[in-house]
Amino acid sequence: MPLTAQEVKNKKATDKQYKVSDEKGLFLLVHPNGSKYWRMNYRYGGKQKTLALGVYPDISLADARGKRDDARSLIANGLDPSDIQRAKKVAQHQSQENSFKAIALEWIAKETGKWSDSYTHKITRLLTKDIFPAIGSRPISEITPPDLLACLRKIEARGVVETAHRAKRIAGQIFRYAIATGRAERDPSHDLKGALVTTQASHFAAITDPKEVGPLLLMIDDYQGTIEVSTALKLAPLFFCRPKELRYMEWSEIHFDKEEWRIPGDKMKVKEDHIVPLCSQAMEILQNFLNITGHRQYVFPSARSPKRPMSDNALLSAMRRMGIPKEKMTPHGFRAMARTLLDEELGYRIEWIECQLAHAVKDANGRAYNRTTYLRQRKDMMQHWADYLDELKAKSITSNVVAGNFNGSNC
């Protein structure tokens, strides 16, 4: 007799596995642990076979009978339901392997060696929070421009327009990686040009007017904070490196004999070793400072623990205490200052400046700059730059410019 839903529910486990027949080959398999599985016996190609139809109670008696009838229909049309089921599993597995999320994680793993830990974390967090929930499980080849746009619109709706644009750029890189590896044919992000709200490009605030540079440098010279912060501030415009690179400077990286600061690649954004030539002004500052922290690992150790570098907020806080508003200048702004004035005022070649800034650029032949590229020219440039800054300070003193008037008030 056919089973009833109540009978299926009441079947209890025993010390041995047993089965209870329904009809047309369908039966319930009850395991000693109490699990219940739907199975179907059938013949195909002269052989007896068994097809798994699911687990009770996820699959009810009615559901199991429907699956059985579907399988019988396949058999009647000359198809083996086990082969069809196996093909579906393979297709599902391939779909998961070629999902947007799987390919994105593969892309991140490939690129991680080129990125800093903080950048890797930023990219992974953005994908996990804003993109994977919407399209992460979808086969990447099936994602359309409207699919991607709907995902980006949700980010945009939160008011973080720049994040939406960043997500679009990252998604585009992942789609292009999928194309290169043969798992997609096109990049839907390419069709979304102009679809998002336009955002104004934002840059780190920087002083690039020579008339304002002198007063800024005089303020730094007069800063009354800790000797560590004061010294770092004096070196920042001379080196115009990234603030993190300055904070993590170690005495072992300073080569006084060669007049160079050699930064290992694992500290650099582009993961390449970098050389900062030491001008005579920087040499003097560091040699005098050697007596203060030279017995430590870091040139600028943390005030809380000498085993750690200066905090990432130390220089910014010092500039605020000097009365320099964040809209006017930041520690990172020394890079823009140097790039602008070295080009526009001192006339140095852009490739020399870009190389000293440690930007990930290539020469005319497509070769990436290395740490020694244009080193001789850069040494001369860095000394000229330091001398030029001294000239701007001297002009500020002789012209009676009041240092620190960065808020637009009258002197």
Side-chain angles (χ1 to χ4, degrees), residues 13 22 141 154 183 266 271 281 287 354:
D22 181 51
S141 61
K154 291 181 180 179
R183 288 171 288 184
D266 59 6
K271 297 300 181 182
Q281 292 89 332
Q287 286 171 337
E354 292 294 296

Side-chain angles (χ1 to χ4, degrees), residues 217-270:
L217 298 177
L218 290 175
M219 291 178 69
I220 290 175
D221 285 348
D222 291 338
Y223 178 66
Q224 299 300 309
T226 66
I227 186 65
E228 290 84 1
V229 173
S230 175
T231 303
L233 281 171
K234 291 175 181 177
L235 290 174
L238 296 176
F239 292 160
F240 53 86
C241 58
R242 296 177 180 89
K244 183 177 180 180
E245 295 159 7
L246 181 62
R247 292 190 300 105
Y248 276 78
M249 174 193 281
E250 298 182 32
W251 284 113
S252 61
E253 299 164 0
I254 307 299
H255 298 264
F256 287 108
D257 56 333
K258 297 182 180 297
E259 299 183 353
E260 293 175 351
W261 170 24
R262 298 190 173 190
I263 311 175
D266 59 6
K267 290 185 177 182
M268 299 298 297
K269 183 177 181 179
V270 294

